[in-house]
Amino acid sequence: MLCEKCKADVPEEEMFQFGGQKLCEDCYIEIMSRPKPCDPGAVSAAKAARELQGHKGTKGLTPIQKKIYDYLKKKGSVQREELAEYMNMTLDELQGHFAVLRHCELARGFKEDNKYYFTLMDK
Ligand SMILES: [Zn+2]
């Protein structure tokens, strides 16, 4: 069989499938090792670490992070200052806890009319 990229003649059992193409081992490795334009390393590392520990969804969050999550769940989207007040912490402290939720793809922040809001990640 011919590799669809470099046209090398390779036995079928040595071909690799990638994105609907049949490739030889060299081309496959080259594609797989290519640097990705967007590196979601931080997110996948956080997710992988949690999954390794058997944590999925909100399990494995600290009580503070869980409280933020529950509040967002109840309120929908919440202005950053309101959430900081509710949590009785500074914006910097809140941002630190929120970063974990964001890394685990549970919540996200957005800006509207020059105000920052937090909300849960759309399912
Ligand atoms: Zn090839």
Side-chain angles (χ1 to χ4, degrees), residues 3 5-6 24 27:
C3 165
K5 192 157 174 287
C6 69
C24 70
C27 291

Side-chain angles (χ1 to χ4, degrees), residues 19-86:
Q21 286 188 304
K22 282 199 193 296
L23 303 172
C24 70
E25 189 174 9
D26 286 349
C27 291
Y28 180 76
I29 289 171
E30 199 223 292
I31 284 184
M32 295 307 283
S33 59
R34 208 179 277 172
K36 311 240 177 356
C38 166
D39 183 12
V43 170
S44 48
K47 275 177 74 176
R50 279 155 46 79
E51 271 161 29
L52 270 181
Q53 293 161 30
H55 294 317
K56 288 218 169 78
T58 60
K59 286 200 196 97
L61 296 179
T62 67
I64 289 172
Q65 290 151 8
K66 185 75 167 48
K67 195 175 169 187
I68 295 173
Y69 180 88
D70 286 343
Y71 192 66
L72 292 176
K73 195 172 182 179
K74 198 170 73 183
K75 305 278 283 190
S77 49
V78 180
Q79 211 182 313
R80 191 173 54 171
E81 287 75 12
E82 184 193 335
L83 186 58
E85 196 181 326
Y86 170 75

